[in-house]
């Protein structure tokens, strides 16, 4: 056993391990869904949350070091004894004013520090809720097991459309997200932008945020909602105003018509297969709302709520065996002859 421990210790490069422990939480974790990092704020609210975190870490570190120092000091000062030493009953018979002072000082300091943390937490929460929403963009997000329905609302009804799992916003403009749930409780969380908010069936909640830095930020469902909770991701992409307008105008268009005979056949396959019973493709007869809107599915980076990259191969795998990629998903497998599957993928791949 001893030699095993010694061997294990020798194999670890300590500077490297320490470096990893320090650096890992501070480096951005980015995947196909974008950056996911609480300590890299891209908006005013995430910046306030990061400040609260640094304050908490600072206070807790100081207290931790002080306690360790006190423990080491008391061990060092403790009288040296052995099994034959008589019990030390001094404390029962003699007053120890010095010790009493230290206990009172520690209780007061702990109370004050806890109060500082509570007040800082309340102020942060207030700042999150007080973000100005003048001229805000309105988005309605509905949580489903396990994907996100995203509806862009507009008072004039001229700019209303629905998409899934990928949210686009203009940089510097406030966004109001109305949150609903279709089945169980989910939680909307984009750490680079703001804190979490729950989506509760039968209730409507809302959250506001503003992205001040362009980029793609990874969002994640933050409330355990069943088997594929971990694969309920989404993206928020913040663009320059003009790029956002271009994206929105493209999303408002009906689906692109098939450009070749293979894609045309794919469209027929879609309309005659179970696909059309769950999905909408604007401009066609497919108008079901059980699954994600596919009008512009090819413009999305990922499939199955951020689970896999949106490539023709992955799309074919997803259609023929979704349970193999995301066990428990409500999407049933669709058995198609190879030709039909390829045509279907070609059609969906053209829906930019
Ligand atoms: Cu939805 Cu966890």
């Amino acid at each position: 056993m001893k030699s095993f421990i010694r061997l294990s210790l020798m194999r670890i490069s300590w500077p490297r391990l320490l470096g990893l422990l320090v650096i890992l939480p501070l480096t951005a974790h980015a995947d196909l869904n974008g950056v996911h990092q609480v300590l890299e704020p891209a908006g005013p609210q995430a910046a306030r949350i990061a400040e609260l975190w640094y304050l908490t870490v600072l206070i807790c570190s100081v207290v931790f070091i002080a306690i360790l120092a006190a423990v080491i000091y008391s061990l060092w000062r403790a009288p040296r004894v052995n099994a034959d030493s008589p019990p030390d009953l001094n404390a029962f018979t003699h007053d120890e004013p010095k010790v009493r002072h230290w206990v009172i000082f520690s209780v007061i300091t702990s109370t004050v520090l806890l109060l500082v943390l509570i007040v800082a937490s309340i102020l942060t929460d207030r700042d999150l809720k007080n973000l100005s929403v003048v001229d805000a963009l309105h988005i309605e997000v509905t949580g489903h097991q396990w994907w996100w329905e995203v509806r862009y609302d507009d008072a004039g009804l001229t700019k209303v459309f629905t998409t899934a799992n990928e949210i686009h916003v203009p940089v510097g403009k406030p966004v109001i997200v109305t949150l609903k749930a279709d089945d169980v409780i989910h939680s909307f969380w984009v750490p680079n932008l703001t804190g979490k908010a729950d989506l509760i069936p039968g209730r409507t909640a809302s959250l506001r945020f503003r992205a001040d830095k362009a980029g793609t930020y990874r969002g994640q469902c933050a409330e355990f909602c069943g088997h594929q909770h971990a694969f309920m991701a989404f993206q928020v992409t913040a663009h320059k105003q003009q790029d956002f307008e271009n994206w929105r105008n493209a999303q408002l268009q009906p689906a692109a018509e098939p450009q070749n005979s293979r894609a045309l056949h794919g469209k027929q396959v879609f309309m005659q297969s179970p696909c059309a019973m769950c999905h909408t493709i604007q401009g066609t007869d497919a108008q079901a709302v059980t699954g994600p809107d596919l009008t512009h599915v090819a413009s999305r980076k990922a499939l199955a709520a951020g689970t896999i990259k949106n490539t023709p191969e992955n799309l074919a795998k997803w259609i023929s065996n979704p349970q193999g990629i995301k066990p428990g998903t409500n999407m049933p497998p669709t058995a198609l002859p190879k030709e039909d599957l390829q045509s279907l993928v070609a059609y969906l791949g053209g829906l930019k």
Side-chain angles (χ1 to χ4, degrees):
M1 186 63 192
K2 258 187 191 163
S3 61
F4 170 75
I5 295 173
R6 207 177 302 137
L7 254 179
S8 310
L9 289 176
M10 274 164 62
R11 280 200 193 124
I12 302 170
S13 149
W14 288 100
R16 204 165 160 196
L17 183 71
L18 271 178
L20 269 178
L21 285 176
V22 173
I23 289 166
L24 256 188
L26 300 177
T27 47
H29 158 74
D31 69 0
L32 98 114
N33 294 300
V35 189
H36 187 90
Q37 176 53 266
V38 190
L39 298 181
E40 262 188 29
Q45 296 160 304
R48 294 289 288 114
I49 294 173
E51 282 165 17
L52 178 66
W53 189 83
Y54 284 120
L55 178 73
T56 309
V57 167
L58 179 75
I59 289 179
C60 292
S61 305
V62 169
V63 171
F64 181 65
I65 290 168
I67 290 172
L68 271 189
V71 168
I72 291 167
Y73 178 75
S74 54
L75 285 176
W76 175 59
R77 285 293 307 272
R80 300 290 177 269
V81 295
N82 58 37
D84 301 326
S85 311
D88 177 13
L89 303 173
N90 213 20
F92 293 104
T93 50
H94 293 80
D95 199 11
E96 291 181 296
K98 224 174 161 187
V99 173
R100 197 170 55 225
H101 289 157
W102 273 109
V103 169
I104 293 170
F105 169 78
S106 306
V107 168
I108 293 174
T109 312
S110 306
T111 311
V112 169
L113 290 177
L114 281 175
L115 281 175
V116 168
L117 285 180
I118 291 171
V119 170
S121 182
I122 292 170
L123 290 178
T124 303
D125 203 38
R126 209 184 56 177
D127 279 2
L128 299 194
K129 291 203 168 65
N130 282 354
L131 181 82
S132 157
V133 284
V134 178
D135 194 24
L137 176 75
H138 288 257
I139 302 175
E140 185 183 294
V141 171
T142 307
H144 299 266
Q145 280 176 318
W146 291 280
W147 61 282
W148 306 85
E149 182 182 337
V150 183
R151 190 180 132 95
Y152 281 72
D153 278 330
D154 181 77
L157 288 177
T158 53
K159 287 175 179 170
V160 173
F161 61 92
T162 303
T163 178
N165 304 323
E166 294 182 18
I167 297 172
H168 293 249
V169 297
V171 164
K173 190 167 170 168
V175 181
I176 299 179
V177 190
T178 303
L179 300 165
K180 293 178 175 177
D182 182 44
D183 32 44
V184 298
I185 301 177
H186 304 273
S187 183
F188 183 94
W189 185 42
V190 195
N192 291 74
L193 295 174
T194 186
K196 300 169 184 171
D198 280 359
L199 299 84
I200 300 169
R203 284 210 212 170
T204 303
S206 87
L207 173 134
R208 45 181 77 178
F209 71 82
R210 195 179 77 214
D212 287 343
K213 247 196 255 170
T216 297
Y217 309 107
R218 185 181 182 279
Q220 167 69 42
C221 179
E223 178 76 43
F224 181 70
C225 56
H227 198 166
Q228 293 297 336
H229 154 72
F231 287 107
M232 189 166 166
F234 61 102
Q235 309 174 5
V236 177
T237 302
H239 303 270
K240 285 186 201 133
Q241 181 72 34
Q242 190 52 51
D243 294 341
F244 170 73
E245 292 300 341
N246 294 344
W247 175 82
R248 176 156 70 176
N249 290 335
Q251 296 289 313
L252 283 163
Q253 301 302 314
E257 282 302 324
Q259 292 300 308
N260 53 49
S261 57
R262 168 169 270 189
L264 188 65
H265 175 60
K267 186 177 177 182
Q268 288 161 358
V269 172
F270 187 95
M271 297 305 157
Q272 288 157 11
S273 71
C275 307
M277 288 155 66
C278 289
H279 297 281
T280 289
I281 296 181
Q282 294 297 351
T284 73
D285 293 337
Q287 295 289 327
V289 292
T290 309
D293 187 305
L294 300 179
T295 310
H296 298 286
V297 65
S299 71
R300 297 183 206 143
K301 287 184 192 142
L303 294 170
T307 307
I308 44 173
K309 211 172 164 196
N310 189 0
T311 63
E313 298 77 40
N314 282 345
L315 184 56
K317 279 186 207 159
W318 176 244
I319 294 168
S320 46
N321 185 18
Q323 302 297 328
I325 292 170
K326 209 166 162 176
T329 176
N330 288 323
M331 168 130 160
T334 308
L336 291 169
K338 206 176 165 200
E339 278 285 292
D340 287 357
L341 182 62
Q342 281 172 352
S343 302
L344 180 57
V345 168
Y347 170 56
L348 293 172
L351 302 181
K352 295 274 185 202

Short mmCIF file of all heavy atoms in Angstrom, two decimals, residues 253-284:
data_model
loop_
_atom_site.label_atom_id
_atom_site.label_comp_id
_atom_site.label_asym_id
_atom_site.label_seq_id
_atom_site.Cartn_x
_atom_site.Cartn_y
_atom_site.Cartn_z
N GLN A 253 -38.35 34.63 -43.47
CA GLN A 253 -38.71 34.09 -44.78
C GLN A 253 -39.30 32.70 -44.62
O GLN A 253 -38.92 31.95 -43.72
CB GLN A 253 -37.47 33.99 -45.68
CG GLN A 253 -36.75 35.30 -45.93
CD GLN A 253 -37.66 36.34 -46.55
OE1 GLN A 253 -38.38 36.04 -47.50
NE2 GLN A 253 -37.65 37.56 -46.01
N PRO A 254 -40.21 32.31 -45.52
CA PRO A 254 -40.64 30.91 -45.52
C PRO A 254 -39.47 30.01 -45.96
O PRO A 254 -38.46 30.51 -46.43
CB PRO A 254 -41.77 30.88 -46.55
CG PRO A 254 -41.61 32.10 -47.37
CD PRO A 254 -40.88 33.11 -46.54
N ALA A 255 -39.64 28.72 -45.80
CA ALA A 255 -38.53 27.79 -46.10
C ALA A 255 -38.13 27.87 -47.57
O ALA A 255 -38.96 28.11 -48.45
CB ALA A 255 -38.97 26.37 -45.76
N ALA A 256 -36.84 27.66 -47.81
CA ALA A 256 -36.31 27.67 -49.18
C ALA A 256 -36.90 26.50 -49.96
O ALA A 256 -37.09 25.41 -49.41
CB ALA A 256 -34.79 27.55 -49.13
N GLU A 257 -37.19 26.74 -51.23
CA GLU A 257 -37.70 25.66 -52.07
C GLU A 257 -36.53 24.73 -52.44
O GLU A 257 -35.39 25.20 -52.56
CB GLU A 257 -38.32 26.24 -53.35
CG GLU A 257 -39.71 26.82 -53.14
CD GLU A 257 -40.73 25.82 -52.57
OE1 GLU A 257 -40.64 24.62 -52.95
OE2 GLU A 257 -41.56 26.22 -51.74
N PRO A 258 -36.80 23.44 -52.63
CA PRO A 258 -35.71 22.51 -53.01
C PRO A 258 -35.05 22.96 -54.32
O PRO A 258 -35.75 23.41 -55.24
CB PRO A 258 -36.44 21.19 -53.21
CG PRO A 258 -37.75 21.33 -52.52
CD PRO A 258 -38.09 22.77 -52.50
N GLN A 259 -33.71 22.87 -54.36
CA GLN A 259 -32.97 23.39 -55.50
C GLN A 259 -32.62 22.31 -56.53
O GLN A 259 -32.11 22.62 -57.59
CB GLN A 259 -31.67 24.06 -55.03
CG GLN A 259 -31.91 25.35 -54.24
CD GLN A 259 -32.65 26.41 -55.05
OE1 GLN A 259 -32.25 26.74 -56.17
NE2 GLN A 259 -33.75 26.93 -54.50
N ASN A 260 -32.83 21.04 -56.20
CA ASN A 260 -32.54 19.98 -57.17
C ASN A 260 -33.51 18.82 -56.98
O ASN A 260 -34.31 18.84 -56.02
CB ASN A 260 -31.07 19.52 -57.06
CG ASN A 260 -30.73 19.13 -55.63
OD1 ASN A 260 -31.47 18.37 -54.99
ND2 ASN A 260 -29.63 19.67 -55.11
N SER A 261 -33.41 17.83 -57.86
CA SER A 261 -34.42 16.76 -57.84
C SER A 261 -34.32 15.92 -56.57
O SER A 261 -35.31 15.46 -56.03
CB SER A 261 -34.29 15.89 -59.10
OG SER A 261 -32.98 15.37 -59.14
N ARG A 262 -33.07 15.76 -56.08
CA ARG A 262 -32.91 14.96 -54.87
C ARG A 262 -33.61 15.65 -53.69
O ARG A 262 -34.35 15.02 -52.93
CB ARG A 262 -31.42 14.78 -54.58
CG ARG A 262 -31.18 14.21 -53.19
CD ARG A 262 -29.77 13.78 -53.00
NE ARG A 262 -29.61 12.39 -53.38
CZ ARG A 262 -28.53 11.67 -53.16
NH1 ARG A 262 -27.50 12.24 -52.60
NH2 ARG A 262 -28.48 10.40 -53.51
N ALA A 263 -33.37 16.97 -53.56
CA ALA A 263 -33.99 17.71 -52.45
C ALA A 263 -35.51 17.74 -52.62
O ALA A 263 -36.26 17.67 -51.64
CB ALA A 263 -33.43 19.13 -52.39
N LEU A 264 -35.95 17.80 -53.87
CA LEU A 264 -37.39 17.81 -54.13
C LEU A 264 -38.01 16.49 -53.66
O LEU A 264 -39.07 16.47 -53.00
CB LEU A 264 -37.64 18.02 -55.63
CG LEU A 264 -39.10 18.24 -56.03
CD1 LEU A 264 -39.62 19.55 -55.44
CD2 LEU A 264 -39.26 18.27 -57.55
N HIS A 265 -37.30 15.39 -53.96
CA HIS A 265 -37.75 14.09 -53.47
C HIS A 265 -37.74 14.07 -51.95
O HIS A 265 -38.67 13.54 -51.31
CB HIS A 265 -36.87 12.98 -54.05
CG HIS A 265 -37.20 11.61 -53.51
ND1 HIS A 265 -38.44 11.05 -53.66
CD2 HIS A 265 -36.46 10.72 -52.80
CE1 HIS A 265 -38.46 9.86 -53.07
NE2 HIS A 265 -37.26 9.65 -52.53
N GLY A 266 -36.71 14.68 -51.35
CA GLY A 266 -36.60 14.75 -49.90
C GLY A 266 -37.80 15.46 -49.29
O GLY A 266 -38.30 15.06 -48.23
N LYS A 267 -38.25 16.51 -49.95
CA LYS A 267 -39.42 17.24 -49.44
C LYS A 267 -40.65 16.33 -49.44
O LYS A 267 -41.41 16.30 -48.46
CB LYS A 267 -39.67 18.48 -50.31
CG LYS A 267 -40.78 19.36 -49.76
CD LYS A 267 -40.96 20.63 -50.59
CE LYS A 267 -42.11 21.45 -50.06
NZ LYS A 267 -42.35 22.65 -50.87
N GLN A 268 -40.80 15.55 -50.51
CA GLN A 268 -41.93 14.61 -50.56
C GLN A 268 -41.83 13.58 -49.44
O GLN A 268 -42.83 13.27 -48.78
CB GLN A 268 -41.97 13.90 -51.92
CG GLN A 268 -42.42 14.81 -53.05
CD GLN A 268 -42.03 14.26 -54.42
OE1 GLN A 268 -41.38 13.21 -54.52
NE2 GLN A 268 -42.40 14.98 -55.47
N VAL A 269 -40.60 13.09 -49.22
CA VAL A 269 -40.40 12.11 -48.14
C VAL A 269 -40.83 12.74 -46.81
O VAL A 269 -41.54 12.12 -46.02
CB VAL A 269 -38.91 11.67 -48.07
CG1 VAL A 269 -38.65 10.81 -46.83
CG2 VAL A 269 -38.52 10.92 -49.33
N PHE A 270 -40.40 13.99 -46.59
CA PHE A 270 -40.74 14.68 -45.33
C PHE A 270 -42.26 14.74 -45.15
O PHE A 270 -42.79 14.41 -44.09
CB PHE A 270 -40.15 16.09 -45.32
CG PHE A 270 -40.31 16.81 -43.99
CD1 PHE A 270 -39.31 16.78 -43.04
CD2 PHE A 270 -41.48 17.50 -43.70
CE1 PHE A 270 -39.46 17.42 -41.82
CE2 PHE A 270 -41.64 18.14 -42.47
CZ PHE A 270 -40.62 18.10 -41.53
N MET A 271 -42.95 15.17 -46.21
CA MET A 271 -44.39 15.38 -46.10
C MET A 271 -45.16 14.06 -45.92
O MET A 271 -46.22 14.04 -45.32
CB MET A 271 -44.93 16.13 -47.33
CG MET A 271 -44.33 17.52 -47.49
SD MET A 271 -44.56 18.55 -46.03
CE MET A 271 -43.23 19.74 -46.24
N GLN A 272 -44.59 12.97 -46.44
CA GLN A 272 -45.31 11.69 -46.35
C GLN A 272 -44.88 10.84 -45.16
O GLN A 272 -45.49 9.82 -44.87
CB GLN A 272 -45.09 10.90 -47.66
CG GLN A 272 -45.86 11.52 -48.82
CD GLN A 272 -45.28 11.16 -50.17
OE1 GLN A 272 -44.42 10.29 -50.26
NE2 GLN A 272 -45.73 11.83 -51.22
N SER A 273 -43.82 11.24 -44.49
CA SER A 273 -43.32 10.45 -43.36
C SER A 273 -43.86 11.04 -42.06
O SER A 273 -44.49 12.09 -42.06
CB SER A 273 -41.79 10.48 -43.36
OG SER A 273 -41.37 11.78 -42.98
N PRO A 274 -43.60 10.37 -40.93
CA PRO A 274 -44.07 10.91 -39.64
C PRO A 274 -43.46 12.28 -39.30
O PRO A 274 -43.95 12.96 -38.41
CB PRO A 274 -43.62 9.85 -38.62
CG PRO A 274 -43.41 8.62 -39.41
CD PRO A 274 -42.98 9.05 -40.78
N CYS A 275 -42.39 12.70 -40.01
CA CYS A 275 -41.73 14.00 -39.71
C CYS A 275 -42.77 15.12 -39.65
O CYS A 275 -42.75 15.96 -38.74
CB CYS A 275 -40.72 14.37 -40.79
SG CYS A 275 -39.48 13.12 -41.16
N ALA A 276 -43.67 15.12 -40.66
CA ALA A 276 -44.61 16.23 -40.81
C ALA A 276 -45.66 16.24 -39.70
O ALA A 276 -46.39 17.21 -39.54
CB ALA A 276 -45.29 16.16 -42.18
N MET A 277 -45.73 15.13 -38.93
CA MET A 277 -46.73 15.09 -37.86
C MET A 277 -46.25 15.79 -36.60
O MET A 277 -47.01 16.02 -35.66
CB MET A 277 -47.09 13.63 -37.53
CG MET A 277 -47.94 13.01 -38.64
SD MET A 277 -47.78 11.22 -38.68
CE MET A 277 -48.54 10.82 -37.13
N CYS A 278 -44.95 16.14 -36.54
CA CYS A 278 -44.41 16.78 -35.34
C CYS A 278 -43.78 18.14 -35.61
O CYS A 278 -43.62 18.95 -34.69
CB CYS A 278 -43.35 15.89 -34.68
SG CYS A 278 -44.04 14.43 -33.90
N HIS A 279 -43.35 18.39 -36.85
CA HIS A 279 -42.56 19.60 -37.12
C HIS A 279 -43.27 20.56 -38.07
O HIS A 279 -44.08 20.14 -38.90
CB HIS A 279 -41.22 19.22 -37.73
CG HIS A 279 -40.35 18.39 -36.83
ND1 HIS A 279 -39.62 18.92 -35.81
CD2 HIS A 279 -40.11 17.05 -36.82
CE1 HIS A 279 -38.95 17.95 -35.19
NE2 HIS A 279 -39.25 16.80 -35.78
N THR A 280 -42.89 21.83 -37.94
CA THR A 280 -43.36 22.85 -38.87
C THR A 280 -42.24 23.19 -39.85
O THR A 280 -41.08 23.30 -39.45
CB THR A 280 -43.74 24.13 -38.10
OG1 THR A 280 -44.93 23.88 -37.37
CG2 THR A 280 -43.98 25.31 -39.04
N ILE A 281 -42.61 23.36 -41.13
CA ILE A 281 -41.72 24.03 -42.08
C ILE A 281 -42.57 25.10 -42.75
O ILE A 281 -43.49 24.78 -43.52
CB ILE A 281 -41.14 23.03 -43.11
CG1 ILE A 281 -40.25 22.00 -42.41
CG2 ILE A 281 -40.33 23.77 -44.18
CD1 ILE A 281 -39.60 20.98 -43.33
N GLN A 282 -42.32 26.34 -42.40
CA GLN A 282 -43.16 27.45 -42.91
C GLN A 282 -43.13 27.48 -44.44
O GLN A 282 -42.08 27.34 -45.05
CB GLN A 282 -42.67 28.81 -42.36
CG GLN A 282 -42.84 28.98 -40.86
CD GLN A 282 -44.29 28.95 -40.38
OE1 GLN A 282 -45.24 28.95 -41.17
NE2 GLN A 282 -44.46 28.89 -39.06
N GLY A 283 -44.31 27.69 -45.02
CA GLY A 283 -44.40 27.72 -46.48
C GLY A 283 -44.75 26.35 -47.05
O GLY A 283 -44.85 26.18 -48.26
N THR A 284 -44.91 25.34 -46.17
CA THR A 284 -45.32 24.01 -46.62
C THR A 284 -46.55 23.57 -45.83
O THR A 284 -47.03 24.31 -44.96
CB THR A 284 -44.21 22.96 -46.39
OG1 THR A 284 -44.15 22.68 -44.99
CG2 THR A 284 -42.86 23.44 -46.87
#
